[in-house]
């Protein structure tokens, strides 16, 4: 059996607590399709390591 997952890669933010919200409609649709949800957290990159065209939206 093939496992299917939707992976959200999220950069760690410089905050006391980090929370990311997923709306019920998305979670319901994933469940109906037997798709798992993964949140992968990555350390913040240094500004000098940034690649042009990549980054977070304000």
């Amino acid at each position: 059996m093939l496992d299917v997952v939707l992976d959200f890669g999220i950069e760690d933010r410089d905050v006391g607590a980090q929370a990311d919200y997923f709306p019920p409609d998305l979670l319901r649709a994933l469940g109906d399709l037997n798709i798992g949800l993964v949140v992968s957290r990555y350390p913040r990159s240094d500004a000098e390591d940034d690649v042009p065209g990549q980054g977070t939206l304000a």
Side-chain angles (χ1 to χ4, degrees), residues 10-57:
I10 299 176
E11 183 179 77
D12 284 335
R13 296 184 289 275
D14 190 16
V15 295
Q18 181 170 331
D20 297 290
Y21 174 80
F22 297 96
D25 289 344
L26 172 64
L27 301 176
R28 187 176 303 108
L30 292 174
D32 289 346
L33 297 169
N34 201 33
I35 297 174
L37 176 67
V38 175
V39 177
S40 298
R41 292 180 47 201
Y42 298 95
R44 292 180 63 107
S45 63
D46 292 332
E48 63 190 37
D49 293 337
D50 287 348
V51 175
Q54 291 184 339
T56 58
L57 298 176

